[in-house]
Amino acid sequence: MKQDTKDMTSGQPLPLIIGFAVPMLISSIFQQLYSAVDTLIVSRYLGSNALAGVGATGMLTFLLLSLALGMGNGGGLIIAQCFGNHDKKKMWQTIVAMTWLMAVLAVVLSVCGYLLCEPILRMLQVPAEVLPYSVSYLKIIFAFTGGMVIYNWASSILRSVGDSRTPLYALIAASFINIGLDLLLIINFGLGVQGAAIATVFSQFVSGFICLYVLMRTRDEFGFDKRALFPDAHNMWLVVKTSIPSTFQSCMISIGGISVQRLINSFGADVMAGYTAASKVDSLAIQVILAVGNALCVFTGQNIGAGKVDRVKVALKKSQVVMLVSACIIAVCAYVFRFNIMELFIDPEDSMLALEAGAQYLSIVGVAYLICAVMQSYQNVIRGAGDVNTCMVAGLTELAGKVFFAYLLSPFIGATGIWLSTPLSWGCGCVIPVVRYYSGKWQYKKLID
């Protein structure tokens, strides 16, 4: 498999961004699709309690993912700017620092997550009939964190230099393996939610090793130097410093999500099951906006590294059009087909309340994608430029809005108040990146000399 780097510092911005975003979009769709298939198989063959049990783990697994993504994104920003500046020596130093940091992260997450998952789930007031499913699932996920960390480390490096195809191929392979193992382990071997967890971690290792293989085959393109396999303090700190805002932001959003999950749990297993199924659809539907936003981030990073700020401004305007049109289409589909979509996951005869709760969530969050498109466009320009502290503040503002509105509204209008907290929090998250962009200060936050 050949690594496919892409220099975005020349050529028409929009075709470059779309060309980079499409493989990322397909990757994300496959990733979300096999997660949705997990949910579908668990729901159909293990029942609504098992579905609620897996759903109750969602925010903890997102916290795990956030830590790995934060570290990967931080190093990836530096690599993108090095690539735009044609500085292979600095690129390799950054990769070495990332490698050591993420290896330590994997060990810490595995040990702490395995030991603490049950006490945390009890603290979140997961119902007694659901708790055994959640614990069984999470212990396997945390014990084998390494696969997820390897994939996020390797894919962050590849995407930073414009290679969005290799992570795509890796996720396609992982998706089919995951679905096949789900069917085999849950239906044929009767392993229940443990089978779903085993399928997930095995497929993560597959995707991680595919990306790792390509990196090893093409290591010379990254300035490989066998004499420099240990990090120096300066580059370790640069990666940490760049990663901390993104990681902290993601973790705080995860913790806020855990707080909201606790609120959802208080409404019982039916609402939990409806939210679990609907959130899988939500995660899939939003990928168009996220893919274009992430491509814009890489584009910005490379062009800031090359000193071409004007190209970034043009790219933002054109990307926003694509994102907003996509958001409108998704919003209409989410509203019109909400009940049909939910019936794929939940049998009305099993729990009509769960189906109605999920359909209501989809109708509300679908319209909110328009706000999300605006937020993502400005945030990714600022992040790609290296202005990570502003992104962190914006993320914390979004988090505060999410928790505040969920707890404010739910006592009056029930679970509907929790669903409404999503568009309201995205509105809060829009303000800071928009103001920062038009201040022009983001242009002077370059990470490398």
Side-chain angles (χ1 to χ4, degrees):
M1 187 180 295
K2 184 180 178 182
Q3 187 233 337
D4 180 26
T5 58
K6 181 177 292 185
D7 186 347
M8 298 188 182
T9 59
S10 61
Q12 290 296 315
L14 188 58
L16 287 169
I17 289 171
I18 297 300
F20 183 72
V22 167
M24 287 181 67
L25 173 60
I26 299 172
S27 298
S28 298
I29 287 174
F30 269 94
Q31 191 170 31
Q32 297 301 325
L33 187 60
Y34 77 67
S35 178
V37 171
D38 265 353
T39 303
L40 182 62
I41 293 172
V42 168
S43 174
R44 290 297 183 181
Y45 290 96
L46 301 179
S48 59
N49 280 345
L51 175 61
V54 174
T57 70
M59 292 317 301
L60 284 177
T61 54
F62 181 69
L63 176 60
L64 174 69
L65 179 62
S66 296
L67 289 165
L69 278 175
M71 189 67 70
N73 289 340
L77 288 176
I78 302 169
I79 293 169
Q81 293 192 11
C82 290
F83 185 76
N85 199 40
H86 305 291
D87 188 347
K88 286 190 174 183
K89 181 179 179 181
K90 184 71 172 178
M91 190 188 304
W92 178 249
Q93 291 171 341
T94 303
I95 291 171
V96 170
M98 277 180 68
T99 304
W100 283 87
L101 287 167
M102 294 194 78
V104 172
L105 179 68
V107 174
V108 172
L109 288 175
S110 288
V111 174
C112 293
Y114 186 88
L115 295 176
L116 298 176
C117 64
E118 184 169 353
I120 293 172
L121 288 168
R122 290 186 183 277
M123 181 189 71
L124 294 175
Q125 298 182 340
V126 173
E129 69 271 22
V130 167
L131 184 63
Y133 296 108
S134 301
V135 173
S136 298
Y137 185 84
L138 264 186
K139 284 195 169 183
I140 293 172
I141 295 295
F142 274 110
F144 298 97
T145 299
M148 183 269 296
V149 172
I150 291 170
Y151 173 76
N152 281 284
W153 166 76
S155 62
S156 292
I157 295 170
L158 292 169
R159 286 171 176 151
S160 296
V161 298
D163 180 7
S164 56
R165 293 180 181 273
T166 299
L168 165 62
Y169 301 145
L171 279 177
I172 289 175
S175 298
F176 285 113
I177 290 170
N178 187 86
I179 293 169
L181 283 176
D182 269 340
L183 295 170
L184 179 67
L185 298 177
I186 293 175
I187 300 173
N188 290 31
F189 288 94
L191 293 182
V193 295
Q194 291 179 321
I198 292 168
T200 296
V201 297
F202 186 85
S203 63
Q204 287 172 342
F205 272 103
V206 169
S207 60
F209 283 125
I210 290 172
C211 292
L212 180 61
Y213 171 76
V214 173
L215 279 177
M216 294 299 296
R217 285 284 303 270
T218 59
R219 58 188 179 273
D220 290 339
E221 297 182 30
F222 296 95
F224 173 74
D225 183 355
K226 63 182 179 182
R227 298 166 299 178
L229 298 177
F230 294 92
D232 60 79
H234 172 73
N235 286 292
M236 288 278 281
W237 173 240
L238 180 60
V239 173
V240 169
K241 182 176 70 173
T242 309
S243 301
I244 282 176
S246 176
T247 304
F248 183 72
Q249 173 191 344
S250 297
C251 288
M252 288 300 99
I253 290 173
S254 300
I255 292 170
I258 289 170
S259 176
V260 173
Q261 181 70 56
R262 186 175 185 271
L263 190 58
I264 293 169
N265 295 349
S266 70
F267 285 91
D270 286 328
V271 172
M272 289 172 66
Y275 173 74
T276 298
S279 64
K280 296 297 182 183
V281 178
D282 172 30
S283 297
L284 183 62
I286 203 172
Q287 291 308 315
V288 175
I289 296 169
L290 297 183
V292 176
N294 287 330
L296 181 60
C297 180
V298 174
F299 179 92
T300 301
Q302 290 193 15
N303 281 278
I304 289 291
K308 299 181 177 180
V309 176
D310 288 342
R311 284 176 57 79
V312 175
K313 295 178 180 179
V314 171
L316 172 65
K317 292 178 182 178
K318 294 186 175 181
S319 297
Q320 280 181 328
V321 173
V322 174
M323 295 168 81
L324 287 168
V325 170
S326 300
C328 288
I329 295 171
I330 295 167
V332 171
C333 292
Y335 182 78
V336 172
F337 300 109
R338 61 194 186 281
F339 286 104
N340 306 84
I341 293 169
M342 291 307 302
E343 285 177 3
L344 295 173
F345 296 90
I346 298 172
D347 186 345
E349 295 182 2
D350 184 24
S351 177
M352 191 64 190
L353 178 59
L355 188 145
E356 289 174 347
Q360 184 187 53
Y361 174 87
L362 283 182
S363 65
I364 291 171
V365 81
V367 177
Y369 290 149
L370 289 164
I371 304 171
C372 183
V374 176
M375 180 180 70
Q376 285 290 321
S377 61
Y378 286 105
Q379 271 197 3
N380 278 288
V381 165
I382 291 168
R383 182 179 291 113
D387 193 359
V388 289
N389 289 327
T390 298
C391 290
M392 179 182 69
V393 174
L396 293 179
T397 303
E398 179 188 346
L399 161 65
K402 176 82 172 178
V403 176
F404 173 76
F405 288 115
Y407 278 86
L408 175 69
L409 297 175
S410 60
F412 300 101
I413 54 177
T416 306
I418 305 175
W419 313 154
L420 285 171
S421 70
T422 296
L424 292 171
S425 67
W426 282 345
C428 295
C430 267
V431 176
I432 291 173
V434 171
V435 171
R436 184 66 165 182
Y437 177 82
Y438 288 106
S439 76
K441 294 179 181 178
W442 59 276
Q443 301 174 45
Y444 310 106
K445 293 293 181 177
K446 189 175 177 180
L447 297 169
I448 61 174
D449 299 326

